[in-house]
């Protein structure tokens, strides 16, 4: 169940590499990712949002690209994959379906909630063991 | 991790706007032993680079404020010639975006998620490239520095050498030459000097090799050439000394191909020795085909003194005649197909030449037409005949005060067969006479008269040669051939000099008697002949009569007596 | 190799062959070909495949002559083509070497 969302070997490696900074890394990832999800939602829910606006698509693409990179580094493979799909969608050729964008942002939002909960537990456990 | 050598501690700049990625990468790089500088956008990265000069940059492509492409361009610009590898951190997949990274100066990519092993390997590989570039730059700078030193050394060496080389008379009106300004370092050497007799000695030399090794021999050679010419030595003695000196100081595999000529303007002769230079040419004014001056000897510095051959060739040399000498590089110039310029093409230039003043240029043009480009490493030399009056006799500078000048003495010398064969006593005798200050004013005349009397005594007296032989070019060659043969075979005979110096009022008078062992000549008859103007023989006696104060011959023609007088010195 | 050397079966003669241009670039190889030789009484430089010879090559021949005993040496230059003969003639090396 947990493995579907976060790769535990990656987490082990991160714990090993970061040593005492491991909790800080988890904390920063959760905080920044929360901000990204908020930004994504803010963008598509804005009154003037249009899947035909290149500016909006570029903003979405940049956010998705960056989010993809950091979640892949944290072992959140499924989240990274969803971000990648969004990035590909908004950067692809031809018209972009607004419904598909909305759907992917919702999927990212809910996947992030699961990942965040897992990392929250990981953070508490790590802090408690110190 | 695979590590072939302990990793060098580098300072690495990390630029990523994503805080968790930046933090993770910093931790990985620190654990690998490097110092990390981190920036969260392109502008900050450029500023940090400028301040801290990291050796390597890991940079995200997409960043706010200034993206990675622009930052990479600026960092490469700031780095100048040094290689600062930039590795882009990106999960970009499209070819176009990757190409943009390379265009901006990126050297490699690393994709997210990070793999520690791949990261370490890439950093090591890039560092090797960086060190390679550093080495190349250091070596380039070193070479440039050495080259500068070398040029400066050559400049100084050339300046010193020019002081010596230009002490001669290359600027005389009868000499034309072409020589590269750096001929010295091609091993080419050109020297010319007046002998006290009013003869002119000219040397064209070509040392083996290039650069400094080719130049080192030039200095001692020039010193011997100028020193001995000034003292009145002839070609054979000067050649012997030059050969012995080069043999002594040069390594076995180094030598000097050279041609040496002596122009006797008064007797209208040219004496030639060629050892190892390409054929020179004697160009006749009367339209006869040119006479090649073939190398008949080994170059200078090869043979030991005992095997050295100082035999020279003597040719008539009058108004309009020229000697043309050249270093290799003219005849053996090749065109694109490998064909050589050759002696034939050179001779064609001689034939078609109308204006003697432009001969060297015409050879150069022919060479340039043949090769398609001009050569600047060949030496050419042309020596013409000029009436001695227009050249003016050389003036000799003395350095002593004159207080110790001897004024009342006499001395006798007798030179016998084995000495006459290979020793020229004139320079010694002249040096002795020049201790008398009053004679210095007329040292050229004195030398010429002594030289004439000596060669008459030797050639007609001791060797019994008939000057009537010298009536045409063929007989002329025969005369000098006989001279060489008879001198080689000489067993008996002598030449005696008597010098008498007496003070007269404030000045003084020198009387010289030259007596030989020959059979003498019919004094009345010879002195009654009209002075020869344009013939190959008969110049000697009229010169003697013209240049000395009194001269007479004994009845039997075996003793000549001349006088030189001088007034009191101011 | 553009410079090769061969010792005769009786070790009396060392033959050195030079291929192509005989100039300063062959300096080390040429010296290596004879410098360790102590037995040979006779040296032959085979110039059959030599198409050019410059003044540093003449210098190298002088070094060989020196090694072979100077004035008492027996050094032969064999199979010289016309261009090589011309160069040897200008420098009068026929007075030092047997040219065949």
């Amino acid at each position: 169940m947990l493995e579907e969302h976060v790769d535990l070997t990656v987490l082990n490696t991160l714990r090993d590499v970061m040593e005492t900074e491991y909790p800080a890394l988890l904390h920063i990832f959760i905080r920044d990712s929360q901000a990204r999800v908020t930004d994504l939602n803010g963008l598509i829910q804005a009154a003037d949002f249009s899947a035909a606006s290149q500016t909006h698509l570029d903003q979405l693409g940049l956010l998705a690209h960056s989010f993809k990179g950091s979640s892949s580094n944290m072992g959140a493979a499924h989240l990274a994959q969803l971000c990648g799909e969004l990035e590909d969608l908004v950067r692809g050729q031809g018209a972009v379906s607004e419904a598909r964008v909305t759907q992917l942002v919702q999927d990212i939002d809910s996947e992030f909630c699961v990942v965040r909960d897992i990392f929250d537990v990981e953070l508490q456990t790590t802090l408690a063991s110190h | 991790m695979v590590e072939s050598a302990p990793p060098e501690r580098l300072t690495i700049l990390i630029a990523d706007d994503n805080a968790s990625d930046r933090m993770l990468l910093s931790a990985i790089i620190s654990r690998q032993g490097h110092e990390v500088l981190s920036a969260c956008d392109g502008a900050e990265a450029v500023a940090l680079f400028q301040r801290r000069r990291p050796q390597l940059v890991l940079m995200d492509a997409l960043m706010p404020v200034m993206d990675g492409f622009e930052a990479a361009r600026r960092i490469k610009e700031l780095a100048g010639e040094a290689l600062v590898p930039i590795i882009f951190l990106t999960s970009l997949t499209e070819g176009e975006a990757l190409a943009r990274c390379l265009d901006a100066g990126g050297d490699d990519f690393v994709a997210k998620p990070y793999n520690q092993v791949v990261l370490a390997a890439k950093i090591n590989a890039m560092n090797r490239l960086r060190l390679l570039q550093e080495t190349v730059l250091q070596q380039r700078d070193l070479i440039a520095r050495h080259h500068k030193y070398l040029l400066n050394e050559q400049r100084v060496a050339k300046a010193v050498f020019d002081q010596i080389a230009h002490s001669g008379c290359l600027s005389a009106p009868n000499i034309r030459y072409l020589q590269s300004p750096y001929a010295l370092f091609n091993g080419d050497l050109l020297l010319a000097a007046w002998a006290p007799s009013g003869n002119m000695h000219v040397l064209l030399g070509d040392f083996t090799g290039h650069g400094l090794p080719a130049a080192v021999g030039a200095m001692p050679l020039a010193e011997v050439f100028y020193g001995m010419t000034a003292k009145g030595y002839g070609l054979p003695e000067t050649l012997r000394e030059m050969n012995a000196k080069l043999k002594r100081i040069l390594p076995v595999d180094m030598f000097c191909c050279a041609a040496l000529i002596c122009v006797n303007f008064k007797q209208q002769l040219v004496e030639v020795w060629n050892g190892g230079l390409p054929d020179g040419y004697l160009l006749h004014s009367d339209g006869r085909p040119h006479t090649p001056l073939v190398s008949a000897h080994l170059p200078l510095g090869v043979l030991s003194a005992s095997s050295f051959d100082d035999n020279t060739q003597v040719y008539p040399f009058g108004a309009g005649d020229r000697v043309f000498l050249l270093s290799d590089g003219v005849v053996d110039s090749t065109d694109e197909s490998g064909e050589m310029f050759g002696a034939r093409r050179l001779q064609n230039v001689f034939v078609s030449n109308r204006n003697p003043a432009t001969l060297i240029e015409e050879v150069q043009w022919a060479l340039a037409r043949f090769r398609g480009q001009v050569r600047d490493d060949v030496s050419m030399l042309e020596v013409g005949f000029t009436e001695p009056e227009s050249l003016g006799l050389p003036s000799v500078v003395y350095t002593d005060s004159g207080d110790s000048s001897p004024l009342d003495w006499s001395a006798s010398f007798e030179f016998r067969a084995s000495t006459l064969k290979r020793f020229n006593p004139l320079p010694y005798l002249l040096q002795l006479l020049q201790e008398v200050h009053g004679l210095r004013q007329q040292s050229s005349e004195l030398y010429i008269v002594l030289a004439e009397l000596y060669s008459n005594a030797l050639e007609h007296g001791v060797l019994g040669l008939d000057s009537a032989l010298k009536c045409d070019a063929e007989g002329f060659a025969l005369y000098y051939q006989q001279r060489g043969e008879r001198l080689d075979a000489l067993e008996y005979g002598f030449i005696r000099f008597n010098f008498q110096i007496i003070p007269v009022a404030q000045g003084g008078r020198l009387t010289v008697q030259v007596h030989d062992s020959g059979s003498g000549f019919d004094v009345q008859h010879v002195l009654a002949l009209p002075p020869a103007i344009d013939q190959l023989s008969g110049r000697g006696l009229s010169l003697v009569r013209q240049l000395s104060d009194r001269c007479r011959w004994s009845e039997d023609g075996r003793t000549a007596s001349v006088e030189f007088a001088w007034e009191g010195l101011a | 190799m553009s410079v090769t050397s061969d010792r005769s079966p009786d070790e009396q003669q060392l033959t050195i062959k030079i291929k192509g241009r005989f100039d300063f670039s062959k300096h080390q190889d040429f010296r290596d070909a004879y410098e360790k030789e102590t037995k040979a009484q006779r040296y032959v430089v085979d110039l059959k495949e030599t198409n050019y010879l410059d003044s540093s090559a003449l210098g190298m021949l002088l070094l060989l002559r020196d090694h072979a005993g100077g004035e008492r040496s027996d050094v032969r230059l064999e199979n010289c083509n016309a261009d090589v003969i011309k160069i040897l003639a200008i420098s009068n090396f026929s007075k030092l070497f047997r040219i065949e």
Side-chain angles (χ1 to χ4, degrees), chain B residues 80-262:
Chain B
E81 289 176 324
L83 175 63
V84 177
I86 296 179
I87 301 178
F88 274 103
L89 309 167
T90 183
S91 38
L92 290 175
T93 43
E94 316 95 275
E96 200 189 326
L98 296 178
R100 276 183 74 197
C101 293
L102 290 178
D103 281 347
D107 297 285
D108 204 351
F109 308 94
V110 172
K112 294 175 185 179
Y114 297 137
N115 176 315
Q116 294 189 61
V117 178
V118 171
L119 261 172
K122 291 204 170 191
I123 288 172
N124 282 340
M126 283 297 139
N127 191 42
R128 279 197 297 275
L129 268 186
R130 185 185 71 83
L131 291 173
L132 183 67
Q133 169 85 351
E134 205 171 275
T135 310
V136 167
L137 288 179
Q138 274 170 3
Q139 290 178 346
R140 182 203 62 182
D141 292 348
L142 193 68
I143 290 169
R145 213 159 45 239
H146 280 281
H147 187 67
K148 221 174 90 192
Y149 286 148
L150 182 71
L151 287 184
N152 189 49
E153 282 171 5
Q154 290 197 346
R155 192 182 54 75
V156 174
K158 184 173 143 53
V160 172
F161 182 76
D162 284 350
Q163 285 298 316
I164 294 180
H166 293 174
S167 62
C169 63
L170 276 177
S171 55
N174 64 319
I175 296 183
R176 291 196 186 90
Y177 64 94
L178 170 82
Q179 204 182 22
S180 141
Y182 277 85
L184 177 60
F185 301 100
N186 295 328
D188 281 10
L189 182 65
L190 191 51
L191 306 170
W194 289 111
S197 57
N199 290 353
M200 180 186 276
H201 290 187
V202 186
L203 176 139
L204 178 65
D206 181 0
F207 280 90
T208 15
H210 287 273
L212 200 55
V216 286
M219 202 79 84
L221 193 67
E223 272 190 19
V224 173
F225 175 86
Y226 286 122
M228 294 193 64
T229 302
K231 283 181 186 156
Y233 287 99
L235 290 197
E237 298 89 354
T238 310
L239 282 162
R240 281 193 165 280
E241 190 56 34
M242 290 195 293
N243 178 68
K245 183 141 203 169
L246 291 185
K247 174 77 179 165
R248 197 164 61 237
I249 63 175
L250 293 183
V252 174
D253 57 341
M254 272 193 67
F255 50 81
C256 181
C257 297
L260 193 56
I261 67 171
C262 166

Side-chain angles (χ1 to χ4, degrees), chain A residues 34-46:
Chain A
Q34 185 66 69
R36 287 210 172 83
V37 172
T38 308
D39 287 351
L40 282 173
N41 280 321
L43 256 172
I44 62 165
Q45 282 159 17

Side-chain angles (χ1 to χ4, degrees), chain A residues 39-60:
Chain A
D39 287 351
L40 282 173
N41 280 321
L43 256 172
I44 62 165
Q45 282 159 17
D48 64 343
F49 176 74
S50 158
S53 155
Q54 193 56 48
T55 315
H56 291 158
L57 293 180
D58 284 350
Q59 284 171 321
L60 279 174

Side-chain angles (χ1 to χ4, degrees), chain B residues 163-450:
Chain B
Q163 285 298 316
I164 294 180
H166 293 174
S167 62
C169 63
L170 276 177
S171 55
N174 64 319
I175 296 183
R176 291 196 186 90
Y177 64 94
L178 170 82
Q179 204 182 22
S180 141
Y182 277 85
L184 177 60
F185 301 100
N186 295 328
D188 281 10
L189 182 65
L190 191 51
L191 306 170
W194 289 111
S197 57
N199 290 353
M200 180 186 276
H201 290 187
V202 186
L203 176 139
L204 178 65
D206 181 0
F207 280 90
T208 15
H210 287 273
L212 200 55
V216 286
M219 202 79 84
L221 193 67
E223 272 190 19
V224 173
F225 175 86
Y226 286 122
M228 294 193 64
T229 302
K231 283 181 186 156
Y233 287 99
L235 290 197
E237 298 89 354
T238 310
L239 282 162
R240 281 193 165 280
E241 190 56 34
M242 290 195 293
N243 178 68
K245 183 141 203 169
L246 291 185
K247 174 77 179 165
R248 197 164 61 237
I249 63 175
L250 293 183
V252 174
D253 57 341
M254 272 193 67
F255 50 81
C256 181
C257 297
L260 193 56
I261 67 171
C262 166
V263 184
N264 183 333
F265 296 99
K266 298 189 188 66
Q267 295 196 27
Q268 306 199 349
L269 302 173
V270 64
E271 188 180 2
V272 182
W273 186 94
N274 182 353
L277 273 195
D279 288 2
Y281 294 92
L282 177 55
L283 309 173
H284 304 286
S285 60
D286 58 8
R288 269 183 297 143
H290 36 257
T291 308
L293 307 171
V294 181
S295 158
H297 306 278
L298 279 151
L300 295 171
V302 175
L303 290 173
S304 62
S306 58
S307 333
F308 183 75
D309 182 357
D310 60 15
N311 272 318
T312 54
Q313 300 287 315
V314 182
Y315 304 91
F317 193 64
D321 292 340
R322 290 172 285 161
V323 168
F324 185 83
L325 298 176
L326 63 172
S327 67
D328 65 357
V330 177
V331 174
D332 60 4
S333 266
T334 49
D335 67 5
E336 288 155 1
S337 66
E339 195 189 342
M340 291 212 266
F341 184 71
R344 173 70 54 207
R345 284 190 182 83
L346 178 65
Q347 290 166 19
N348 287 342
V349 180
F350 295 154
V351 171
S352 62
N353 172 251
R354 292 286 165 267
N355 179 3
T358 60
L359 178 62
I360 287 178
E361 285 84 348
E362 285 174 29
V363 172
Q364 233 187 338
W365 293 330
L367 210 51
R369 270 199 308 278
F370 175 71
R371 296 177 74 239
Q373 64 187 90
V374 179
R375 278 190 79 134
D376 64 351
D377 60 344
V378 292
S379 296
M380 286 185 247
L381 166 73
E382 189 194 330
V383 182
F385 180 85
T386 310
E387 289 301 330
E389 291 73 27
S390 72
L391 290 168
L393 283 172
S395 57
V396 184
V397 180
Y398 301 96
T399 51
D400 59 336
S401 65
D403 290 345
S404 53
S405 179
L407 267 182
D408 192 0
W409 55 272
S410 67
S412 294
F413 299 86
E414 184 176 289
F415 302 102
R416 290 183 282 272
S418 62
T419 304
L420 295 174
K421 272 181 164 176
R422 46 188 305 134
F423 179 74
N424 175 1
L426 292 174
Y428 286 109
L429 300 179
L430 192 74
Q431 269 177 325
L432 175 66
L433 292 175
Q434 288 195 337
E435 290 299 319
V436 183
H437 280 226
L439 281 170
R440 289 182 177 182
Q441 301 285 332
Q442 20 186 359
S443 66
S444 290
E445 291 84 349
L446 187 58
Y447 189 95
I448 293 164
V449 168
L450 283 183

